[in-house]
Coordinates of all heavy atoms in Angstrom, one line a residue:
M24 N -15.1 14.5 91.0 CA -14.5 13.9 89.9 C -13.0 13.6 90.3 O -12.3 14.5 90.9 CB -14.5 14.9 88.6 CG -13.8 14.3 87.5 SD -14.0 15.1 85.9 CE -14.0 16.8 86.1
T25 N -12.6 12.5 89.9 CA -11.2 12.1 90.1 C -10.5 11.9 88.7 O -11.1 11.3 87.8 CB -11.1 10.8 90.8 OG1 -11.7 10.9 92.1 CG2 -9.6 10.4 91.1
T26 N -9.4 12.6 88.5 CA -8.7 12.5 87.2 C -7.3 11.9 87.4 O -6.8 11.9 88.5 CB -8.6 13.9 86.6 OG1 -7.8 14.7 87.4 CG2 -9.9 14.5 86.3
Q27 N -6.7 11.5 86.3 CA -5.4 10.9 86.3 C -4.6 11.6 85.2 O -5.2 11.7 84.1 CB -5.4 9.4 86.2 CG -4.0 8.8 86.1 CD -4.1 7.3 86.0 OE1 -5.2 6.7 86.0 NE2 -3.0 6.6 85.9
I28 N -3.4 12.0 85.4 CA -2.6 12.5 84.3 C -2.1 11.3 83.5 O -1.4 10.4 84.0 CB -1.4 13.3 84.8 CG1 -1.9 14.6 85.6 CG2 -0.4 13.7 83.7 CD1 -0.9 15.4 86.3
T29 N -2.5 11.3 82.2 CA -2.2 10.2 81.3 C -1.2 10.5 80.3 O -0.6 9.6 79.7 CB -3.5 9.8 80.6 OG1 -4.1 10.9 79.9 CG2 -4.5 9.2 81.6
E30 N -0.8 11.8 80.1 CA 0.2 12.2 79.2 C 0.9 13.3 79.8 O 0.3 14.2 80.4 CB -0.3 12.5 77.8 CG -1.1 11.4 77.1 CD -1.6 11.9 75.7 OE1 -0.9 12.6 75.0 OE2 -2.8 11.5 75.4
F31 N 2.3 13.4 79.6 CA 3.0 14.5 80.2 C 4.3 14.8 79.3 O 5.1 13.9 79.2 CB 3.5 14.1 81.6 CG 4.2 15.2 82.4 CD1 3.5 16.3 82.8 CD2 5.5 15.2 82.6 CE1 4.1 17.3 83.5 CE2 6.2 16.2 83.2 CZ 5.5 17.3 83.7
E32 N 4.3 15.9 78.8 CA 5.5 16.3 77.9 C 6.0 17.7 78.5 O 5.6 18.7 78.0 CB 5.0 16.5 76.5 CG 4.5 15.2 75.9 CD 3.9 15.4 74.5 OE1 4.2 16.4 73.8 OE2 3.0 14.6 74.1
S33 N 6.8 17.6 79.5 CA 7.3 18.8 80.2 C 8.2 19.5 79.2 O 9.0 18.9 78.5 CB 8.1 18.4 81.4 OG 8.5 19.5 82.1
P34 N 8.1 20.8 79.2 CA 7.3 21.7 79.9 C 6.1 22.2 79.1 O 5.4 23.2 79.4 CB 8.2 22.9 80.2 CG 9.0 23.0 78.9 CD 9.2 21.6 78.5
S35 N 5.7 21.5 78.0 CA 4.8 22.1 77.1 C 3.4 21.6 77.1 O 2.5 22.2 76.6 CB 5.3 22.0 75.6 OG 5.5 20.6 75.3
R36 N 3.1 20.4 77.7 CA 1.8 19.8 77.6 C 1.5 18.7 78.6 O 2.5 18.0 79.0 CB 1.7 19.2 76.2 CG 0.5 18.5 75.8 CD 0.6 17.9 74.4 NE -0.5 17.1 74.1 CZ -0.7 15.8 74.3 NH1 0.3 15.2 74.9 NH2 -1.8 15.2 74.0
F37 N 0.3 18.6 79.1 CA -0.1 17.4 79.8 C -1.6 17.2 79.6 O -2.4 18.1 79.2 CB 0.3 17.4 81.3 CG -0.5 18.4 82.1 CD1 -1.7 17.9 82.8 CD2 -0.2 19.7 82.3 CE1 -2.4 18.7 83.7 CE2 -0.9 20.5 83.2 CZ -2.0 20.0 83.8
V38 N -2.0 16.0 79.8 CA -3.4 15.6 79.6 C -3.9 14.9 80.9 O -3.2 14.1 81.5 CB -3.6 14.6 78.4 CG1 -5.0 14.0 78.4 CG2 -3.3 15.3 77.1
D39 N -5.1 15.3 81.4 CA -5.7 14.5 82.5 C -7.1 14.0 82.0 O -7.7 14.6 81.2 CB -5.9 15.4 83.7 CG -6.7 16.6 83.6 OD1 -6.4 17.5 82.8 OD2 -7.8 16.7 84.2
E40 N -7.4 12.8 82.5 CA -8.6 12.1 82.1 C -9.3 11.6 83.3 O -8.7 11.2 84.3 CB -8.3 10.9 81.2 CG -7.7 11.3 79.9 CD -7.4 10.1 79.0 OE1 -8.4 9.5 78.5 OE2 -6.3 9.7 78.7
Q41 N -10.6 11.7 83.3 CA -11.5 11.2 84.4 C -11.3 9.7 84.6 O -11.4 9.0 83.6 CB -12.9 11.6 84.1 CG -13.9 11.0 85.2 CD -15.3 11.3 84.8 OE1 -15.8 12.4 84.9 NE2 -16.0 10.2 84.3
V42 N -11.1 9.3 85.8 CA -11.1 7.9 86.2 C -12.4 7.5 86.9 O -12.8 6.4 87.0 CB -9.9 7.5 86.9 CG1 -8.6 7.5 86.0 CG2 -9.7 8.3 88.2
S43 N -13.0 8.5 87.6 CA -14.3 8.4 88.2 C -15.0 9.7 88.3 O -14.3 10.7 88.5 CB -14.2 7.7 89.6 OG -13.6 8.5 90.5
G44 N -16.3 9.7 88.1 CA -17.0 11.0 88.2 C -18.2 11.0 87.4 O -18.7 10.0 86.9
P45 N -18.8 12.2 87.1 CA -20.1 12.4 86.5 C -20.2 12.2 85.0 O -21.3 12.1 84.5 CB -20.4 13.8 86.9 CG -19.1 14.5 86.9 CD -18.2 13.5 87.5
F46 N -19.0 12.1 84.3 CA -19.1 12.0 82.9 C -18.8 10.6 82.4 O -18.1 9.8 83.0 CB -18.0 13.0 82.2 CG -18.3 14.4 82.5 CD1 -17.6 15.0 83.6 CD2 -19.2 15.1 81.8 CE1 -17.9 16.4 83.9 CE2 -19.5 16.5 82.1 CZ -18.8 17.1 83.1
A47 N -19.4 10.3 81.2 CA -19.0 9.0 80.6 C -17.6 9.0 80.1 O -16.9 8.0 80.1 CB -20.0 8.7 79.4
R48 N -17.1 10.2 79.7 CA -15.7 10.4 79.2 C -15.4 11.9 79.5 O -16.2 12.8 79.3 CB -15.6 10.2 77.7 CG -14.2 10.4 77.2 CD -14.2 10.0 75.7 NE -12.8 10.2 75.2 CZ -12.3 11.3 74.7 NH1 -13.0 12.3 74.5 NH2 -11.1 11.3 74.2
W49 N -14.1 12.1 80.0 CA -13.6 13.5 80.2 C -12.1 13.4 79.9 O -11.3 12.7 80.5 CB -13.8 13.9 81.6 CG -13.2 15.2 82.0 CD1 -11.9 15.5 82.4 CD2 -13.8 16.5 81.9 NE1 -11.7 16.8 82.6 CE2 -12.8 17.5 82.2 CE3 -15.0 16.9 81.5 CZ2 -13.1 18.8 82.3 CZ3 -15.3 18.3 81.5 CH2 -14.4 19.2 81.9
W50 N -11.7 14.2 78.8 CA -10.3 14.3 78.4 C -10.0 15.8 78.3 O -10.7 16.5 77.7 CB -10.2 13.6 77.0 CG -8.8 13.6 76.4 CD1 -7.9 12.6 76.5 CD2 -8.2 14.6 75.6 NE1 -6.8 12.9 75.8 CE2 -7.0 14.2 75.2 CE3 -8.7 15.8 75.1 CZ2 -6.1 14.9 74.4 CZ3 -7.8 16.6 74.3 CH2 -6.6 16.1 74.0
H51 N -8.9 16.2 79.0 CA -8.6 17.6 79.2 C -7.1 17.8 78.9 O -6.2 17.3 79.6 CB -8.9 18.0 80.6 CG -8.7 19.4 80.9 ND1 -8.6 19.9 82.2 CD2 -8.5 20.5 80.1 CE1 -8.4 21.2 82.2 NE2 -8.4 21.6 80.9
E52 N -6.8 18.5 77.8 CA -5.4 18.8 77.4 C -5.0 20.2 77.8 O -5.8 21.2 77.5 CB -5.2 18.6 75.9 CG -3.9 18.9 75.4 CD -3.8 18.8 73.9 OE1 -4.6 19.4 73.2 OE2 -2.8 18.2 73.4
H53 N -3.9 20.4 78.4 CA -3.3 21.7 78.7 C -2.0 21.9 77.9 O -1.1 21.0 77.9 CB -2.9 21.7 80.2 CG -3.9 21.3 81.2 ND1 -4.7 22.1 81.9 CD2 -4.3 20.0 81.5 CE1 -5.5 21.4 82.7 NE2 -5.3 20.1 82.4
V54 N -2.0 23.0 77.2 CA -0.8 23.3 76.3 C -0.2 24.6 76.8 O -0.9 25.6 76.9 CB -1.2 23.3 74.8 CG1 0.0 23.7 74.0 CG2 -1.8 22.0 74.4
F55 N 1.1 24.7 76.9 CA 1.8 25.9 77.4 C 2.8 26.3 76.3 O 3.6 25.6 75.8 CB 2.6 25.6 78.7 CG 1.7 25.1 79.8 CD1 1.5 23.7 79.9 CD2 1.1 25.9 80.6 CE1 0.7 23.2 80.9 CE2 0.2 25.5 81.7 CZ 0.1 24.1 81.8
E56 N 2.7 27.6 75.9 CA 3.5 28.2 74.9 C 4.1 29.5 75.3 O 3.5 30.3 76.0 CB 2.7 28.4 73.6 CG 2.1 27.2 73.0 CD 1.2 27.6 71.9 OE1 1.7 27.6 70.7 OE2 0.0 27.8 72.1
E57 N 5.4 29.7 75.0 CA 6.0 31.0 75.2 C 5.2 32.1 74.5 O 4.8 31.9 73.3 CB 7.5 31.0 74.8 CG 8.3 30.2 75.7 CD 9.8 30.3 75.3 OE1 10.2 31.3 74.6 OE2 10.5 29.3 75.6
H58 N 5.0 33.2 75.1 CA 4.2 34.3 74.5 C 4.7 35.6 75.1 O 4.4 36.0 76.2 CB 2.7 34.1 74.8 CG 1.8 35.1 74.2 ND1 1.6 35.0 72.8 CD2 1.1 36.1 74.6 CE1 0.8 36.0 72.5 NE2 0.5 36.7 73.6
G59 N 5.5 36.3 74.3 CA 6.1 37.5 74.8 C 7.0 37.3 76.0 O 7.8 36.4 76.0
D60 N 6.7 38.0 77.1 CA 7.4 37.8 78.3 C 6.8 36.8 79.2 O 7.2 36.7 80.4 CB 7.6 39.2 79.1 CG 8.5 40.1 78.3 OD1 9.4 39.7 77.6 OD2 8.3 41.3 78.5
G61 N 5.7 36.1 78.8 CA 5.0 35.2 79.6 C 4.7 33.9 79.0 O 5.4 33.5 78.0
T62 N 3.6 33.3 79.4 CA 3.2 32.0 79.0 C 1.8 32.0 78.6 O 0.9 32.5 79.4 CB 3.5 30.9 80.0 OG1 4.8 30.9 80.4 CG2 3.1 29.5 79.6
L63 N 1.4 31.5 77.4 CA 0.0 31.3 77.0 C -0.4 29.9 77.3 O 0.3 28.9 76.9 CB -0.1 31.6 75.5 CG -1.5 31.4 74.9 CD1 -2.5 32.4 75.5 CD2 -1.4 31.6 73.4
M64 N -1.5 29.7 78.1 CA -2.0 28.4 78.3 C -3.3 28.2 77.6 O -4.2 29.0 77.7 CB -2.2 28.1 79.8 CG -2.6 26.7 80.1 SD -3.0 26.4 81.9 CE -4.8 26.9 81.8
S65 N -3.4 27.1 76.9 CA -4.6 26.8 76.1 C -5.1 25.4 76.7 O -4.3 24.5 77.0 CB -4.3 26.6 74.6 OG -3.8 27.8 74.1
D66 N -6.4 25.3 76.7 CA -7.1 24.1 77.2 C -8.0 23.5 76.1 O -8.6 24.3 75.4 CB -8.0 24.3 78.4 CG -7.2 24.5 79.6 OD1 -6.4 23.6 80.0 OD2 -7.3 25.6 80.2
R67 N -8.0 22.2 75.9 CA -9.0 21.6 75.0 C -9.6 20.5 75.8 O -8.9 19.7 76.5 CB -8.3 21.0 73.8 CG -9.2 20.5 72.8 CD -8.5 20.1 71.5 NE -8.4 18.7 71.6 CZ -7.6 17.9 70.8 NH1 -6.9 18.6 69.8 NH2 -7.5 16.7 70.8
V68 N -10.9 20.5 75.8 CA -11.7 19.5 76.6 C -12.6 18.7 75.7 O -13.3 19.3 74.8 CB -12.6 20.2 77.7 CG1 -13.4 19.2 78.4 CG2 -11.7 20.9 78.7
E69 N -12.6 17.4 75.8 CA -13.5 16.5 75.1 C -14.3 15.7 76.2 O -13.6 15.2 77.1 CB -12.8 15.6 74.1 CG -12.1 16.3 73.0 CD -11.3 15.4 72.1 OE1 -11.4 14.1 72.3 OE2 -10.6 15.9 71.3
F70 N -15.6 15.7 76.1 CA -16.3 15.0 77.1 C -17.6 14.4 76.5 O -18.1 14.8 75.5 CB -16.6 15.9 78.3 CG -17.6 17.0 78.0 CD1 -19.0 16.8 78.3 CD2 -17.2 18.2 77.5 CE1 -19.9 17.9 78.1 CE2 -18.0 19.2 77.3 CZ -19.4 19.1 77.5
A71 N -18.1 13.4 77.2 CA -19.4 12.8 76.8 C -20.2 12.6 78.1 O -19.6 12.3 79.2 CB -19.2 11.5 76.2
H72 N -21.5 12.8 78.0 CA -22.4 12.6 79.2 C -23.1 11.3 79.2 O -23.0 10.6 78.1 CB -23.4 13.8 79.3 CG -24.1 14.0 78.1 ND1 -25.2 13.2 77.7 CD2 -24.0 14.9 77.1 CE1 -25.7 13.6 76.6 NE2 -25.0 14.6 76.2
H73 N -23.7 10.9 80.2 CA -24.4 9.7 80.3 C -25.9 9.7 79.8 O -26.5 8.7 79.6 CB -24.5 9.2 81.8 CG -23.1 8.8 82.3 ND1 -22.5 7.6 82.0 CD2 -22.3 9.5 83.2 CE1 -21.3 7.6 82.6 NE2 -21.2 8.7 83.4
W74 N -26.4 10.9 79.5 CA -27.7 11.1 79.1 C -28.0 10.4 77.8 O -27.1 10.3 76.9 CB -28.1 12.5 78.9 CG -27.9 13.4 80.2 CD1 -28.0 13.0 81.5 CD2 -27.4 14.7 80.2 NE1 -27.7 14.0 82.3 CE2 -27.3 15.0 81.6 CE3 -27.0 15.6 79.3 CZ2 -26.9 16.3 82.0 CZ3 -26.6 16.9 79.7 CH2 -26.5 17.2 81.0
G75 N -29.1 9.8 77.6 CA -29.5 9.2 76.4 C -29.0 7.8 76.2 O -29.1 7.2 75.2
R76 N -28.4 7.2 77.3 CA -27.9 5.8 77.2 C -29.1 4.9 77.5 O -30.0 5.2 78.2 CB -26.9 5.6 78.3 CG -25.5 6.1 77.8 CD -24.5 5.7 78.8 NE -23.2 5.7 78.1 CZ -22.1 5.2 78.6 NH1 -22.2 4.6 79.8 NH2 -21.0 5.2 78.0

């Protein structure tokens, strides 16, 4: 799979999306938040497969 970073909000967030690979659609958001003495990273993924087309 090849992805491209399509959104970037330093230092709190970025999104990468598939430009070629196995999925009909792949969208992946990374969010970074201060959490105590460290950083909490959360991911959200939205994807679609080619099956059923």
Side-chain angles (χ1 to χ4, degrees):
M24 177 166 45
T25 302
T26 63
Q27 178 177 358
I28 295 174
T29 57
E30 298 178 42
F31 185 74
E32 299 171 24
S33 183
S35 60
R36 176 182 177 273
F37 74 93
V38 171
D39 61 295
E40 296 184 66
Q41 175 187 283
V42 292
S43 66
F46 297 98
R48 178 177 185 269
W49 176 270
W50 182 90
H51 183 196
E52 177 184 48
H53 311 259
V54 177
F55 303 91
E56 301 173 86
E57 291 183 22
H58 185 70
D60 292 334
T62 302
L63 175 66
M64 185 184 87
S65 300
D66 287 300
R67 190 172 98 190
V68 176
E69 297 176 6
F70 67 96
H72 53 76
H73 292 286
W74 305 325
R76 282 187 157 191

